[in-house]
Structure formats: C-alpha cells, structure tokens
C-alpha cells in the first residue's frame, strides 16, 4: 500500500470552525475517501493568502516523505476579500500571485496540489460575495492553465439553504455540520477521487 500524505492548508473554513462534530469539510471528505490516508489539517482562523504563503513551505515539507505520495490541498481567499478600514485585506491580484507561488513551490517539491475555491461569508454582504465570486473565477482560470484541479464552491454554497441558514444561526460566516457536509459533497462529487488516483 502506498503512503498517501495530504496536507490541507488555509483558513477557518479549512479548520472547520463552527462544526460541533469537529470534522468540518476536511474530516468529512476523509471519512469517505477509500484507502489509508495520513492527513494534516493546517487551517488557521482569519488567515489570508499572505499568511498561508508565509507558512506553507515550513509546515508542509516536514509532513512529507521522499518515498510517499505527497499531496497538498489549498483553500483561501474569503478573508482576502474582507474590507478593513476602507481597503481589502489582500488585493485580488496579490491573492492570485500568492496562489501561484504556493502552486509553483508545490510543483518544485513534487507535491501534487488541488485548490478549493473560497467559500462565501454569508453576513459579509453583497460586495464581499461579488468580490469572492470574481476571485474564485480567476483562481479557476489560473488552475486550469497550470493543470491543477480546482473545486468551485463559492456560487454553489452561496445558494445552498443549509450553508446559509446554519451560518446565519451561528456566527454569520461558519456553518455547522450540515453546511460542511454540503461542502464535502462538492469535493467528492468533483475531482477529488480522480485526483487521488493520479500518480
């Protein structure tokens, strides 16, 4: 059996904040992934693409092995599109540069990458959702050009009643178990298993 190691790196949605079962979408995807997988959840609340880029290499590389099937799942962007003091936390162009840098380093280290788009923050307003949608579209195009699988979740979850209802009943951003289950379904119904089957 091959040694499959997957690092999940990103923000609070990766961490699974708000889920009373402490699984988030990462845990639910892993529950339904066949075979044995060694997984590392490296999500940190409020982090932007800048934060993730700064720590990605130093946190991911120690969790890989030269003879293993090393994988990286990246998801950020929702926090980048938040306005603070009249300015975005991270400019969309800079966010895309950060994603490019993460993917380039992953390729250089021979770590197979997959990108999950930024989930919507329900109570952040129409402007935030518009910016997040546009960023997700740009991310999808970037991944297509680099032949990296991309899972679109922004639009789907913005119109998902379970995600939106649970987020509003919680802290306005993070769903509970049902919302994360919906997000996991998007991955499992997308390229997840096909990606894992690739050498």
């Amino acid at each position: 059996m091959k040694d499959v190691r997957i690092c999940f790196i990103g923000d609070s949605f990766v961490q699974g904040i708000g889920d009373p079962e402490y699984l988030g979408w990462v845990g639910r995807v892993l529950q339904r992934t066949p075979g044995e997988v060694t997984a590392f959840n490296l999500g940190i609340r409020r982090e932007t693409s800048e934060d993730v880029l700064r720590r990605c290499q130093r946190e991911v590389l120690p969790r890989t092995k030269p003879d293993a099937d090393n994988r990286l799942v990246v998801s950020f962007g929702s926090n980048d599109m938040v306005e603070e003091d009249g300015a975005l936390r991270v400019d969309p162009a800079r966010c895309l540069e950060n994603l490019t840098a993460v993917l380039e380093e992953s390729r250089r280290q021979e770590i197979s990458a997959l990108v999950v788009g930024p989930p919507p923050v329900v109570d952040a307003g129409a402007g935030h959702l518009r910016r997040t949608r546009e960023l997700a579209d740009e991310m999808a195009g970037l991944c297509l050009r680099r032949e990296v699988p991309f899972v679109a979740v922004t639009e789907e979850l913005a119109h998902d009643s379970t995600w939106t209802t649970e987020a509003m009943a919680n802290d306005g951003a993070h769903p509970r178990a049902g919302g994360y289950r919906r997000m996991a379904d998007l991955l499992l119904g997308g390229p997840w298993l096909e990606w894992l089957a690739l050498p």
Side-chain angles (χ1 to χ4, degrees):
M1 292 177 62
K2 64 179 180 178
D3 180 6
V4 181
R5 292 171 165 246
I6 310 175
C7 290
F8 296 81
I9 195 162
D11 53 25
S12 57
F13 291 114
V14 174
Q15 190 180 358
I17 292 294
D19 183 0
E21 297 174 15
Y22 298 98
L23 288 170
W25 63 264
V26 171
R28 288 179 168 80
V29 166
L30 292 168
Q31 279 184 328
R32 293 161 60 187
T33 298
E36 290 190 21
V37 172
T38 301
F40 306 92
N41 191 322
L42 307 176
I44 296 181
R45 192 169 196 168
R46 290 198 86 249
E47 286 217 331
T48 66
S49 61
E50 299 271 68
D51 301 314
V52 173
L53 176 61
R54 266 193 297 272
R55 65 186 175 91
C56 188
Q57 186 174 356
R58 72 171 185 266
E59 292 190 15
V60 170
L61 289 183
R63 292 169 170 86
T64 65
K65 288 175 61 178
D67 58 345
D69 181 357
N70 299 301
R71 308 273 173 155
L72 175 65
V73 179
V74 184
S75 184
F76 52 60
S78 298
N79 290 321
D80 295 53
M81 296 300 99
V82 169
E83 281 188 338
E84 288 185 347
D85 301 322
L88 294 182
R89 291 187 67 194
V90 180
D91 183 81
R94 178 62 182 166
C95 180
L96 294 169
E97 290 173 3
N98 293 335
L99 179 58
T100 298
V102 168
L103 296 179
E104 183 57 31
E105 181 61 22
S106 176
R107 184 199 61 77
R108 195 177 72 79
Q109 298 290 344
E110 298 183 341
I111 301 171
S112 178
L114 178 145
V115 177
V116 179
V121 177
V122 177
D123 73 345
H128 183 272
L129 179 57
R130 175 184 51 77
R131 293 189 298 272
T132 307
R133 283 172 171 153
E134 291 170 356
L135 177 63
D137 288 344
E138 293 288 340
M139 285 179 163
L142 187 157
C143 289
L144 181 63
R145 292 189 295 275
R146 300 184 69 90
E147 299 182 326
V148 171
F150 178 83
V151 183
V153 302
T154 311
E155 192 71 23
E156 290 80 357
L157 294 176
H159 292 99
D160 185 276
S161 60
T162 301
W163 179 276
T164 56
T165 300
E166 286 190 355
M168 288 308 295
N170 193 17
D171 62 1
H174 304 95
R176 298 197 183 278
Y180 282 117
R181 191 173 298 114
R182 295 297 178 91
M183 188 167 173
D185 288 344
L186 292 174
L187 270 83
L188 292 160
W192 178 255
L193 295 178
E194 181 181 348
W195 174 64
L196 281 180
L198 292 172

